[in-house]
C-alpha cells in the first residue's frame, strides 16, 4: 500500500481556508515535482512538517495550482521551488509569475542524492520528490529562476541553432546508410573520394549507383564539372573507371532509387545548414561576444554556446563555464582502487557535440596537431582523450575571449595545452 504521508490530494478538492487553519508560520516552502501529465506539490511549514502533496493535471489545472499557491502566500513569505525538467514546467512557471510568485530552481543532482538522507529510504517517487525539493529550498539549496522573455533576435537565433543542429544530426544518419550501401554495391568509391564529398553525392543523386555513371556517355565530364577545382582529373577518371570495374553487388532498380533518395536528402540537409549559417552570420554581425568566439570555434558553434549556456560573461570564472558544458573531470575512487578520470557530461549534450567538432578542426592545425599526435602515441593510438583535452582548453579560452574581452592568440592555445 502507498504510504499515507505521500498520498496525493486532487488540487480541485483542496479547501484552502481549511488547509491553512491554525497555520501562522511566516515562511513556507513549496516543492514541485514536474511530470508530463501531472504536477505534485508539497508545502513545507517547518522541519519535519510537511503537508500531503497536491496532484495537478498538467497543463489543464496549472492555473488552479497557481491560484492556490498565491493564496498560501497571502500574509506570509512563500518560496516555490522546482527542478529544471525540460519544458514540461514552463506553462506552470508562467502561471506562477502571472500571480506574482517567483520560482526557484533546485539541482536534480542534489535532489537525487538527498532522497535517502531525507527519510532514510532509498526510494524515489513523485510525492517524495516534491518534499525533497521543498526541503532543499528550505536549506538554501535553490536559486532564483525567472522566466526569460526572449527578444525577436534571440528567438530567431535559437530557431536557427535548433534547425542547423537537427539537420546535421539527420544528415549524419543518412550518411551512415549511404556508407553501408556503398560498401555493398560500390566499395571502391569511398577509397577514391570522401564518403560525403559533394561530387560523390551528386553522382549518387544523379545516377543512383555505379551502373548509371558507367552507362552515361558524358559521365566523366559531369564528374569533372561537379568536382570543379577541388577534384583532380586523375581522381575523376578513377571514380568513373571504378564504376565500370566495381566488384560490388549488382544493384536493382529499387536499390538505386534508395541510394539516390539518401543522397538527395543529404544534399537538402546541407543546403538547409548553409542557409542557417548565413543567417546566423547576419544576426551576429554586431554581437561582440559571439563574433569573438566565432573566430575560435566558428559561427554555428558560438551560437550554440550562446543559446544553450548564455552569456559567458555571466560566469564568475572560466572553470565554471567549462563545468556548465559538462567538461569538468569527475573521479570515483575508493581505498586502493583509483577510478579513471572522466568528464562529467552534465549540461546540454548539444554543446559537447559542437565543441567536439570544433576540437577536431583544431587538431588538424599546427602546433595543436603535433601535441595531439604525441598524446595519441602515448595512449597507444587512442586519440579521443586528446581531443577532449583540446575541448577543455577551448572552453577556458572561449570564456576569457567572449566573457572577459581578451584578445585570442592562437599560439597561446598550445601553451595552455602544455599546462
Amino acid at each position: 500500500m502507498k504510504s499515507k504521508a505521500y498520498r496525493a490530494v486532487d488540487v480541485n478538492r483542496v479547501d484552502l481556508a481549511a488547509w491553512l487553519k491554525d497555520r501562522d508560520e511566516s515562511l513556507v516552502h513549496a516543492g514541485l515535482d514536474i511530470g508530463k501529465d501531472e504536477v505534485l506539490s508539497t508545502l513545507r511549514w517547518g522541519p519535519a512538517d510537511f503537508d500531503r502533496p497536491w496532484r495537478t493535471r498538467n497543463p489543464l489545472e496549472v492555473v488552479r495550482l497557481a491560484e492556490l499557491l498565491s493564496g498560501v502566500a497571502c500574509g506570509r513569505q512563500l518560496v516555490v521551488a522546482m527542478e529544471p525538467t525540460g519544458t514540461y514546467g514552463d506553462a506552470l512557471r508562467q502561471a506562477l509569475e502571472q500571480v506574482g510568485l517567483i520560482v526557484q530552481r533546485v539541482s536534480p543532482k542534489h535532489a537525487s542524492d538527498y532522497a535517502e538522507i531525507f527519510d532514510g529510504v532509498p526510494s524515489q517517487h513523485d510525492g517524495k520528490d516534491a518534499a525533497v525539493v521543498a526541503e532543499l529550498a528550505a536549506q538554501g539549496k535553490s536559486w532564483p529562476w525567472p522566466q526569460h522573455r526572449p527578444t525577436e533576435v534571440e528567438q530567431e537565433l535559437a530557431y536557427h541553432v535548433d534547425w542547423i543542429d537537427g539537420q546535421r544530426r539527420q544528415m549524419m544518419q543518412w550518411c551512415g546508410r549511404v556508407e553501408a550501401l556503398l560498401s555493398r554495391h560500390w566499395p571502391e568509391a569511398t577509397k577514391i573520394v570522401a564518403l560525403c564529398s559533394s561530387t560523390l553525392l551528386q553522382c549518387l543523386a544523379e545516377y543512383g549507383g555505379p551502373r548509371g555513371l558507367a552507362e552515361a556517355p558524358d559521365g566523366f565530364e559531369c564528374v569533372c564539372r561537379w568536382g570543379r577545382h577541388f577534384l583532380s582529373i586523375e581522381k575523376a577518371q578513377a571514380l568513373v573507371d571504378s564504376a565500370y570495374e566495381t566488384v560490388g553487388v549488382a544493384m536493382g532498380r529499387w536499390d538505386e532509387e534508395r541510394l539516390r533518395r539518401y543522397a538527395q536528402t543529404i544534399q537538402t540537409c546541407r543546403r538547409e545548414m548553409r542557409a542557417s549559417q548565413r543567417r546566423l552570420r547576419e544576426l551576429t554581425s554586431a554581437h561582440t561576444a559571439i563574433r569573438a568566439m566565432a573566430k575560435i570555434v566558428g559561427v554555428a558553434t558560438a551560437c550554440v554556446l550562446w543559446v544553450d549556456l548564455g552569456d559567458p560573461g555571466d560566469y564568475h570564472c572560466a572553470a565554471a563555464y567549462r563545468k556548465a558544458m559538462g567538461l569538468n573531470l569527475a573521479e570515483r575512487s575508493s581505498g586502493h582502487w583509483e577510478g579513471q578520470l572522466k568528464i562529467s557530461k552534465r549540461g546540454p549534450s548539444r554543446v559537447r557535440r559542437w565543441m567536439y567538432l570544433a576540437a577536431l578542426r583544431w587538431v588538424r592545425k599546427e602546433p595543436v596537431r603535433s601535441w595531439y599526435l604525441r598524446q595519441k602515441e602515448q595512449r597507444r593510438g587512442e586519440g579521443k582523450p586528446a581531443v577532449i583535452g583540446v575541448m577543455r582548453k577551448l572552453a577556458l579560452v572561449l570564456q576569457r575571449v567572449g566573457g572577459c574581452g581578451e584578445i585570442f592568440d592562437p599560439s597561446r592555445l598550445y601553451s595552455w595545452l602544455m599546462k
Side-chain angles (χ1 to χ4, degrees):
M1 295 179 62
K2 288 186 177 180
S3 171
K4 293 183 179 179
Y6 297 123
R7 189 174 298 171
V9 178
D10 190 274
V11 72
N12 292 314
R13 299 179 60 184
V14 174
D15 183 356
L16 192 59
W19 204 277
L20 300 179
K21 186 179 179 181
D22 299 329
R23 289 291 190 181
D24 56 358
E25 290 86 352
S26 60
L27 175 63
V28 59
H29 294 82
L32 307 180
D33 181 79
I34 309 297
K36 181 179 180 180
D37 300 315
E38 287 185 346
V39 176
L40 267 73
S41 52
T42 298
L43 297 178
R44 178 193 183 276
W45 298 94
D49 187 4
F50 292 85
D51 284 344
R52 289 171 61 184
W54 299 342
R55 178 182 288 110
T56 306
R57 288 186 297 169
N58 190 15
L60 302 178
E61 299 170 346
V62 296
V63 175
R64 168 63 177 165
L65 176 60
E67 293 173 351
L68 288 175
L69 292 176
S70 178
V72 174
C74 290
R76 59 174 60 86
Q77 182 184 355
L78 174 65
V79 178
V80 182
M82 65 172 65
E83 298 174 272
T85 53
T87 58
Y88 292 139
D90 286 351
L92 178 56
R93 288 174 62 196
Q94 177 177 268
L96 291 171
E97 290 192 3
Q98 288 175 349
V99 297
L101 296 176
I102 302 300
V103 178
Q104 299 208 0
R105 178 177 58 185
V106 170
S107 168
K109 175 65 173 173
H110 292 173
S112 176
D113 293 344
Y114 195 76
E116 186 171 357
I117 301 173
F118 179 69
D119 60 1
V121 181
S123 61
Q124 282 189 283
H125 47 82
D126 295 343
K128 179 178 176 179
D129 289 343
V132 169
V133 170
E135 178 67 22
L136 290 173
Q139 295 180 10
K141 301 295 185 181
S142 62
W143 301 268
W145 194 24
Q147 198 165 31
H148 176 63
R149 307 294 181 185
T151 63
E152 287 290 330
V153 174
E154 291 173 335
Q155 291 181 43
E156 187 176 0
L157 191 70
Y159 161 75
H160 284 291
V161 164
D162 282 341
W163 188 251
I164 197 172
D165 181 65
Q167 291 296 319
R168 189 187 179 283
R169 297 184 73 178
Q170 185 178 6
M171 181 188 72
M172 296 308 297
Q173 178 185 8
W174 294 117
C175 283
R177 298 190 181 190
V178 168
E179 182 179 18
L181 289 176
L182 287 178
S183 298
R184 176 187 298 168
H185 301 295
W186 193 6
E188 301 87 355
T190 54
K191 307 299 181 182
I192 301 170
V193 294
L195 171 65
C196 289
S197 69
S198 299
T199 305
L200 181 56
L201 288 176
Q202 187 60 39
C203 287
L204 297 177
E206 184 72 22
Y207 302 118
R211 183 178 63 178
L213 177 59
E215 294 176 354
D218 58 344
F220 176 74
E221 290 77 10
C222 288
V223 170
C224 291
R225 186 172 69 253
W226 295 331
R228 298 183 293 174
H229 61 280
F230 300 105
L231 186 70
S232 64
I233 299 297
E234 292 77 12
K235 282 193 174 183
Q237 186 62 59
L239 187 63
V240 175
D241 291 343
S242 70
Y244 281 101
E245 303 166 357
T246 182
V247 296
V249 178
M251 299 182 70
R253 181 170 68 92
W254 286 106
D255 290 329
E256 292 180 344
E257 178 63 23
R258 177 167 53 173
L259 196 52
R260 181 182 293 110
R261 290 291 297 274
Y262 288 175
Q264 291 172 351
T265 304
I266 294 173
Q267 290 178 322
T268 302
C269 292
R270 285 186 167 181
R271 285 194 295 269
E272 293 291 333
M273 291 173 62
R274 285 194 294 267
S276 290
Q277 284 181 328
R278 286 194 298 268
R279 183 54 184 159
L280 287 175
R281 291 191 187 95
E282 296 173 0
L283 290 172
T284 59
S285 58
H287 200 295
T288 305
I290 294 181
R291 297 302 299 177
M293 293 192 296
K295 294 178 181 179
I296 305 172
V297 293
V299 175
T301 305
C303 291
V304 169
L305 296 176
W306 186 271
V307 169
D308 286 344
L309 302 180
D311 188 347
D314 293 339
Y315 294 81
H316 69 277
C317 66
Y321 191 61
R322 181 170 64 185
K323 184 177 181 179
M325 296 182 184
L327 295 177
N328 58 307
L329 296 179
E331 178 185 2
R332 289 184 178 273
S333 299
S334 178
H336 296 288
W337 182 77
E338 293 186 5
Q340 188 178 15
L341 281 176
K342 299 180 179 180
I343 57 175
S344 65
K345 295 186 180 180
R346 302 280 296 279
S349 61
R350 179 168 67 180
V351 169
R352 292 188 294 278
R353 284 199 306 271
W354 285 86
M355 285 291 291
Y356 187 81
L357 296 174
L360 289 179
R361 293 192 293 270
W362 271 101
V363 298
R364 297 176 182 175
K365 308 174 185 177
E366 293 292 350
V368 178
R369 179 162 181 78
S370 298
W371 176 88
Y372 166 76
L373 292 176
R374 287 197 300 272
Q375 295 293 318
K376 186 176 180 180
E377 184 179 358
Q378 292 175 6
R379 292 176 171 84
R380 299 180 180 180
E382 187 178 1
K384 190 174 182 179
V387 177
I388 294 176
V390 177
M391 292 170 60
R392 284 171 43 80
K393 295 300 181 182
L394 284 176
L396 300 179
V397 175
L398 288 167
Q399 197 278 334
R400 294 173 184 176
V401 172
C404 304
E406 294 185 14
I407 303 301
F408 174 63
D409 182 4
S411 62
R412 291 183 61 189
L413 181 63
Y414 176 73
S415 62
W416 284 335
L417 286 169
M418 297 302 293
K419 292 181 181 179

